Amino acid sequence: MQRFFRFVLLTSSLLTLACFGAIYFLPTTIQSVYAFLDPDAAAVIIDPATSSQVMPTRVGNSGWFDPQLETEIIKLINDERKKNNLLPFAPDESLTKIARQRAVEISIRFNHDGIADICPKCGENIAWGGEHTTAPSVVKAWMESESHRRNVLFLYYFKVGVGAYHVGGRIYFTLEIKQELR
């Protein structure tokens, strides 16, 4: 019996040490987080010199992007702009890559950190799961929020990219908009 308790104590001590060690040494970059969570996952790679990106459509076995939902959000956002006598956003492939990258990032840590490094002239709206599981519900929530509405209706934003990332039973949404001439 005493031997059993020693085993339990030793096992729990090792597990505690392993957990704290993993937290202490948890990777800080998104690429490292992918490798840490799933070594077989495709990483997002950004070349700072050219801002070119490689973005997977699937990250490991856990998440996937929803192009149909992304397209529907752009349509609804452009409807809102039209109601306000603004030109529609032009979908932009490079912004879509950024939006998808950010959707993966906010699935790990939900905040606006990082967008300024990736796209200094971008505005960003983010949302996740809960009651926001459809394009109309996300766009409605953004339009009911003063700061998000301001981004959508800003006169000098012309290009758009949207990311809709399904992972862990939730959907993470990003809207990246950029001040760039057509």
Side-chain angles (χ1 to χ4, degrees), residues 6 30 47 61 67-68 101 105 115 118 140:
R6 281 187 193 162
I30 294 301
D47 178 2
N61 295 323
Q68 183 177 350
Q101 173 186 338
E105 290 174 2
I115 188 58
I118 299 167
K140 181 179 183 228

Side-chain angles (χ1 to χ4, degrees), residues 68-70 72-73 76 133-140 173:
Q68 183 177 350
L69 193 54
E70 295 165 353
E72 187 179 354
I73 289 171
L76 293 172
T133 57
T134 65
S137 66
V138 171
V139 172
K140 181 179 183 228
F173 299 93

Side-chain angles (χ1 to χ4, degrees), residues 36-74:
F36 180 78
L37 295 177
D38 184 355
D40 298 325
V44 176
I45 301 167
I46 299 173
D47 178 2
T50 63
S51 295
S52 61
Q53 299 145 12
V54 177
M55 186 52 149
T57 55
R58 187 159 191 85
V59 179
N61 295 323
S62 60
W64 55 279
F65 297 109
D66 192 333
Q68 183 177 350
L69 193 54
E70 295 165 353
T71 301
E72 187 179 354
I73 289 171
I74 292 171

